[in-house]
């Protein structure tokens, strides 16, 4: 139980910090949208504003997701859940967490496959590609890692930003969600034992 409580404290603290920092992404997004409006009104529209706003929105939602899970402010279907006692809610959450873990695992694997594609891995396992990439980096440095990578994917817009940073943020956010879901599962187990969290 001590290990479980340590995990809960560490993951909750980390996701709380990341979630609060991520909240400032809203100000960045507002600045981009404000600049877009000003540039369209007074001079030519900026090419980068639409895609940059989309990238910031993705980062804002995906990195803020674990914190919203922690706060219990995520969206759920409350057909019967709201009417249940705290103990029954804990039982239901503990049962359904396995579906969520499977779903997040599939999403993480898909995100890694998309990230690997952005770094030039067009065929094969993304896990094997990242193993090879990390191995090359630690044995030969950045130049060796660069040789493992192929064509770097860019957006098809005229601005053409590279796509891997936003895909990396997506994978990181999904992984943090998985860690937070496990933290919530441990909290449910402690509640079922009648312990305070």
């Amino acid at each position: 139980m001590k290990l479980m409580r340590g995990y809960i404290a560490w993951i909750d603290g980390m996701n709380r910090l990341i979630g609060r920092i991520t909240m400032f992404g809203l100000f960045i997004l507002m600045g981009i949208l404000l600049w877009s409006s000003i540039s369209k009104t007074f001079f030519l529209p900026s090419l980068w504003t639409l895609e940059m706003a989309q990238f910031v929105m993705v980062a804002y939602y995906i990195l803020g997701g674990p914190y919203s899970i922690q706060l219990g402010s995520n969206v759920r279907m409350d057909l019967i859940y709201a009417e249940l006692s705290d103990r029954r809610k804990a039982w239901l959450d503990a049962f359904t967490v396995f579906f969520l873990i499977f779903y997040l695992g599939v999403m993480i694997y898909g995100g890694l496959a998309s990230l690997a594609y952005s770094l030039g891995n067009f065929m094969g396992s993304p896990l094997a590609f990242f193993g090879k990439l990390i191995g090359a980096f630690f044995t030969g440095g950045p130049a060796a890692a660069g040789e493992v990578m192929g064509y770097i994917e860019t957006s098809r817009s005229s601005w053409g930003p590279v796509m891997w940073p936003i895909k990396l943020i997506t994978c990181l956010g999904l992984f943090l969600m998985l860690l937070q879901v496990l933290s919530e599962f441990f909290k449910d187990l402690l509640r079922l034992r009648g312990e305070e969290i």
Side-chain angles (χ1 to χ4, degrees), residues 53-66:
Q54 291 170 342
F55 291 169
V56 171
M57 270 191 276
V58 167
Y60 176 72
Y61 285 113
I62 202 81
L63 291 176

Side-chain angles (χ1 to χ4, degrees), residues 45-86:
S46 301
L47 294 175
W48 60 271
T49 55
L50 179 61
E51 277 182 312
M52 202 60 194
Q54 291 170 342
F55 291 169
V56 171
M57 270 191 276
V58 167
Y60 176 72
Y61 285 113
I62 202 81
L63 291 176
Y67 188 46
S68 77
I69 291 171
Q70 184 184 131
L71 295 175
S73 60
N74 53 314
V75 177
R76 77 170 78 216
M77 293 292 290
D78 273 346
L79 299 175
I80 58 169
Y81 189 84
E83 303 300 319
L84 298 175
S85 67
D86 287 343

Side-chain angles (χ1 to χ4, degrees), residues 14 18 28 32 34 48 54 59 63-64 66 68 71 74 83 93-94 105 111 125 128 130-131 152 162 173 185 195:
M14 179 182 63
I18 292 170
I28 296 169
I32 292 169
L34 181 65
W48 60 271
Q54 291 170 342
L63 291 176
S68 77
L71 295 175
N74 53 314
E83 303 300 319
D93 288 341
S125 165
F130 286 115
I152 303 294
V162 294
F185 175 65
E195 296 182 29

Side-chain angles (χ1 to χ4, degrees), residues 172-191:
L172 176 65
L174 289 169
F175 182 68
L176 291 173
M177 277 188 212
L178 180 63
L179 295 178
Q180 188 61 49
V181 165
L182 288 173
S183 175
E184 299 304 312
F185 175 65
F186 292 151
K187 290 176 193 175
D188 289 330
L189 291 180
L190 291 172
R191 282 187 196 101

Side-chain angles (χ1 to χ4, degrees), residues 127-141 144-145 148:
L127 299 179
F129 171 76
F130 286 115
K132 187 176 175 184
L133 182 67
I134 292 167
F137 180 80
F138 283 113
T139 57
V148 172

